[in-house]
Amino acid sequence: LGISGNDNILKFTDTIAKMGVATDLVGDEAAVTMARILSITGEAVQSVDKLGSTLVFLGNASSATEAEIARMTIELAKATAQFNVSSANLAGLGTALKEFGQQPELARSSILRTFLTLKSATDEGGQKLRILGKLAGQTGEQFAQGFGKDAFGAFMKFIEGLRGVIEQGGNAEKVLEALGLNGTEINAVLPLLAVRFDTLKQRVQEANEAYSENTALNKEAAVAFTTLDSKLTVLKNNVQDATRRIGAQLAPALSTLADKLIVFANSGFA
């Protein structure tokens, strides 16, 4: 997994153990997925618990599970690797996309095309940049500067602008086509994000708050460990009780068997 250093290994192992009892993201899948997300986004291993808390909070707040969110997040991380998008922002976007019924591979392709198109427009200027600026309520130059500083923030402004087009009775697909963003995949994802922008914005905000607070995973794990401890205690008591009852019933037979084994051991065949 490329994790080195005692402190990093301990933090990572502790987090994966907690994920295993608190979520449906467990074992090797949890370790590999979370390690890759951090590697792609360039975030430190020491922040793995914050990523864990983000996934737990979003899993509780939405209709998507932690494993589903993580799988979506890693695909989005691959798509936006060159744009310095944080794991929290990706998890928020991924949660919304999963809630909207999207699949990871389709989402990755659409988001990659979108970010590359935004970058191309901001690099080259012209009509496409003017369209983006108008959507965001800015000049083209302002949008380009914003994209350079915070690509994900500019992406959110772009999606919010598309929502405005739809709310005013405009044709979002025509706007996307003018930007070079056409095709079935794009039209299945971007207009949907625009229509449900409030949910998208909420999930992104929740993700960043959960990342900063970094409490959701510990709280969930504490409850799970308490429940598990109680179940183990009940199991232990039941096993002990069964052992006493079975032992009392089988004592004569076990005594006879023991005598025969002793005779066999002393017979020279053992």
Side-chain angles (χ1 to χ4, degrees):
L1 298 176
I3 299 171
S4 59
N6 289 338
D7 289 345
N8 287 338
I9 293 172
L10 288 173
K11 172 64 78 66
F12 189 83
T13 303
D14 178 67
T15 299
I16 298 304
K18 290 174 180 175
M19 293 293 291
V21 299
T23 76
D24 66 334
L25 184 64
V26 302
D28 288 344
E29 183 184 9
V32 171
T33 300
M34 295 181 72
R36 286 182 179 171
I37 291 172
L38 294 176
S39 177
I40 295 171
T41 59
E43 297 172 6
V45 175
Q46 283 292 314
S47 65
V48 66
D49 55 336
K50 294 183 177 182
L51 174 59
S53 284
T54 303
L55 296 175
V56 168
F57 188 94
L58 291 170
N60 289 336
S62 73
S63 60
T65 70
E66 291 86 356
E68 290 173 335
I69 296 168
R71 292 174 197 136
M72 184 71 80
T73 300
I74 196 170
E75 295 302 321
L76 296 176
K78 295 174 186 176
T80 60
Q82 63 179 295
F83 298 104
N84 297 318
V85 182
S86 71
S87 62
N89 283 332
L90 293 172
L93 173 60
T95 302
L97 284 167
K98 190 61 188 177
E99 284 188 290
F100 302 162
Q102 299 300 312
Q103 296 303 312
E105 293 76 15
L106 173 62
R108 177 186 65 194
S109 176
S110 299
I111 296 302
L112 173 60
R113 280 189 60 194
T114 301
F115 271 78
L116 290 176
T117 296
L118 297 183
K119 184 179 188 307
S120 176
T122 56
D123 287 344
E124 298 173 8
Q127 180 63 16
K128 291 181 180 179
L129 183 57
R130 285 192 288 273
I131 293 173
L132 290 172
K134 185 176 180 180
L135 285 172
Q138 302 172 326
T139 65
E141 182 179 352
Q142 287 172 331
F143 186 88
Q145 290 176 347
F147 184 83
K149 295 177 181 177
D150 177 11
F152 187 79
F155 165 78
M156 291 290 285
K157 287 184 179 296
F158 164 62
I159 297 299
E160 186 175 17
L162 277 182
R163 180 182 69 169
V165 170
I166 294 171
E167 288 179 342
Q168 294 169 18
N171 190 324
E173 292 183 8
K174 289 292 185 182
V175 174
L176 293 172
E177 185 176 0
L179 292 169
L181 287 168
N182 50 10
T184 303
E185 289 186 353
I186 287 293
N187 290 330
V189 174
L190 297 188
L192 181 58
L193 287 176
V195 169
R196 301 192 62 182
F197 181 77
D198 287 342
T199 298
L200 168 60
K201 184 178 180 180
Q202 179 182 347
R203 296 298 179 233
V204 171
Q205 181 177 343
E206 288 171 343
N208 281 279
E209 290 175 353
Y211 187 94
S212 297
E213 293 173 2
N214 192 22
T215 58
L217 175 57
N218 284 336
K219 289 179 179 178
E220 197 83 0
V223 172
F225 280 129
T226 299
T227 302
L228 178 61
D229 185 61
S230 298
K231 289 181 178 179
L232 288 175
T233 299
V234 172
L235 176 61
K236 178 182 177 182
N237 292 337
N238 288 341
V239 169
Q240 289 176 340
D241 182 57
T243 300
R244 284 192 296 269
R245 286 187 283 108
I246 293 173
Q249 295 171 6
L250 296 182
L254 290 175
S255 177
T256 301
L257 177 60
D259 290 340
K260 289 182 178 181
L261 288 174
I262 291 172
V263 171
F264 177 76
N266 293 329
S267 67
F269 291 99

